[in-house]
Amino acid sequence: MKTKPVLEPLLVRALQCEPVQRVPVWLMRQAGRYLPEYRKLRQEHSFEELIKSPELATRVTLQPVERFDLDGAIIFFDILYLFEALGVNVTFDDSGPKVQSPFTSGKLDTSATRMSFEPGMFTHLAESLEMARKKLAREKALIGFVGGPFTLFSYLMPCVGESALLQARRLLLEQPGTGKEILATIAEVAGALAELQVKAGAQVIQVFDTWAGILPGDMFPEFAAPFIDIVLDRINNLGVPSIYFARNTTHLLGELKKLKASAISLDWTVDLKIASQVLGPEKALQGNLDPAVLLCGNNVIQDRVYKALRQGGESRGFVFNLGHGVPPQADPGKIELLVDTVRKGPT
Ligand code: 1CP
């Protein structure tokens, strides 16, 4: 067991359901295209250059915390780079990620995704975390992350978007044994990547399982939960809190309660009060403001923040966040208003 620092960041304490004097706040995708200073850097460097240079990745990680009074900084990286440890090529261009699918025959094949995780592949990530931790104020948490096994699996499909989610479900239904072997391989790599991040200074790990909520209630326990827990076990063994995020999870709340995560992050389709009742006092909650609120007038933003604070405040540990990432078209001025409103609390 790690010896606990005297005073851990507020975010870390809230995630462990310890008493806190105010609700901590950070935002998924808080670094990125909505920030003019990010867009400026992107004019000079490709996305990959920003991720793979520790100096640049650290700068981007710190950009939102320099501008807004957030309680955490999330390391600048992408869930899809894990594929490099599976021998699957991934590139990013202006239209988004391009993954070279190993399943073009329309069938799953375990030999197509052999795990070859070596920490050396992610030295740049470890260095970014070390550098960011040194520069970040002590009271702010450094957040690391990995993708959820099912979500990553869905990005290995030979198509994108809705079709990929459809094919992912078809292949798991038709080839469940092979599917589970591949999910286990992905989970092992994700666990190793999470461990690398904690050892380099991450104080919290979020598992981004964005698309797992499209699984029906009887597929989630079979094809998602056991593999998520492989990742969570690895994080738990290191003594840092973990957050599990998926969208559209109202039908899965009973399953989420069983996961080994310290906190569950919800999107705006889930009622916070119901979630807090079903998940019980052991789990902290994170969420769940609709990102569309950021495109609204100031009164709407303030009203919606107060409502979320009232509802979330009923759970033992609560971290304010959006229900999904900051939209690229968001106005930084609105983010500032949101963060200030959360920090001041309901009037
Ligand atoms: O053009 C650019 O500048 C790149 C845009 C971009 C950024 C800023 C991508 C491409 N990834 C990222 C960084 C990123 N991705 C972070 C760190 C920044 C932060 O949070 O502040 C994180 C946590 C992610 C996580 C991520 N990447 C997820 C899970 C969360 C989510 O939003 O659902 C997913 C699904 C991805 C894949 C991905 N990478 C990039 C894009 C545009 C996408 C989504 C593709 C799709 O719509 O399916």
Side-chain angles (χ1 to χ4, degrees):
M1 269 297 279
K2 257 180 31 171
T3 43
K4 288 202 168 186
V6 186
L7 198 57
E8 285 175 316
L10 193 70
L11 176 62
V12 173
R13 283 182 281 140
L15 290 171
Q16 290 165 333
C17 293
E18 288 168 21
V20 285
Q21 60 280 28
R22 66 170 175 81
V23 172
V25 53
W26 70 281
L27 305 175
M28 289 188 264
R29 299 293 198 104
Q30 66 190 27
R33 286 171 293 185
Y34 77 99
L35 278 179
E37 52 272 37
Y38 174 81
R39 289 199 300 271
K40 190 158 174 277
L41 266 186
R42 274 287 276 116
Q43 278 168 7
E44 295 153 30
H45 303 278
S46 69
F47 179 63
E48 182 160 1
E49 278 168 7
L50 293 186
I51 298 265
K52 295 200 170 167
S53 146
E55 288 79 16
L56 293 172
T58 301
R59 267 171 77 184
V60 177
T61 301
L62 298 177
Q63 279 177 347
V65 258
E66 280 159 3
R67 209 187 236 265
F68 315 113
D69 210 355
L70 295 154
D71 290 295
I74 180 161
I75 197 68
F76 196 67
F77 186 60
D78 195 273
I79 62 166
L80 302 182
Y81 279 114
L82 171 145
F83 291 153
E84 292 186 343
L86 297 177
V88 171
N89 189 262
V90 54
T91 52
F92 290 83
D93 64 25
D94 288 342
S95 61
K98 300 271 171 301
V99 177
Q100 204 165 51
S101 173
F103 307 124
T104 43
S105 71
K107 282 194 123 187
L108 295 176
D109 171 6
T110 49
S111 69
T113 51
R114 248 183 243 289
M115 165 171 166
S116 60
F117 182 86
E118 282 167 35
M121 286 173 170
F122 299 101
T123 306
H124 60 89
L125 174 60
E127 286 176 4
S128 306
L129 284 153
E130 282 160 14
M131 214 178 270
R133 188 52 275 172
K134 279 197 197 118
K135 294 195 172 173
L136 195 61
R138 212 170 51 102
E139 66 275 16
K140 300 201 187 276
L142 182 59
I143 306 163
F145 66 92
V146 289
F150 173 77
T151 293
L152 289 168
F153 177 78
S154 75
Y155 280 98
L156 290 176
M157 297 298 110
C159 41
V160 296
E162 277 302 318
S163 319
L165 298 172
L166 194 68
Q167 288 305 321
R169 299 202 297 286
R170 170 181 80 82
L171 288 168
L172 292 177
L173 289 167
E174 280 196 337
Q175 291 179 264
T178 314
K180 284 178 204 172
E181 276 184 58
I182 293 167
L183 286 163
T185 305
I186 296 174
E188 291 300 331
V189 182
L193 198 55
E195 186 168 315
L196 176 140
Q197 293 180 63
V198 173
K199 289 185 173 159
Q203 295 153 294
V204 176
I205 297 286
Q206 175 150 325
V207 177
F208 280 95
D209 209 359
T210 310
W211 306 120
I214 59 119
L215 289 171
D218 64 342
M219 279 182 85
F220 186 90
E222 189 176 355
F223 295 104
F227 308 102
I228 298 161
D229 274 344
I230 291 177
V231 184
L232 294 172
D233 270 334
R234 198 92 177 238
I235 303 166
N236 290 340
N237 286 341
L238 296 162
V240 300
S242 52
I243 309 168
Y244 176 77
F245 165 72
R247 292 186 51 188
N248 299 307
T249 50
T250 298
H251 66 303
L252 296 173
L253 289 174
E255 293 301 323
L256 300 188
K257 182 183 167 120
K258 293 186 234 161
L259 290 179
K260 295 177 182 175
S262 326
I264 301 295
S265 190
L266 303 160
D267 81 357
W268 61 95
T269 64
V270 184
D271 185 284
L272 273 188
K273 268 191 176 164
I274 296 174
S276 147
Q277 280 161 14
V278 179
L279 294 169
E282 314 272 282
K283 293 255 188 277
L285 289 189
Q286 177 177 275
N288 72 343
L289 194 80
D290 184 348
V293 171
L294 285 174
L295 310 179
C296 295
N298 293 356
N299 290 344
V300 175
I301 296 178
Q302 281 172 324
D303 285 352
R304 289 280 155 174
V305 168
Y306 292 149
K307 191 172 171 208
L309 283 173
R310 274 197 303 277
Q311 290 190 335
E314 289 180 20
S315 69
R316 273 197 46 205
F318 180 54
V319 173
F320 193 97
N321 208 315
L322 299 175
H324 197 190
V326 177
Q329 64 271 44
D331 168 359
K334 304 281 183 177
I335 308 271
E336 191 173 346
L337 173 70
L338 176 136
V339 175
D340 286 350
T341 311
V342 179
R343 287 182 72 99
K344 287 192 195 114
T347 43

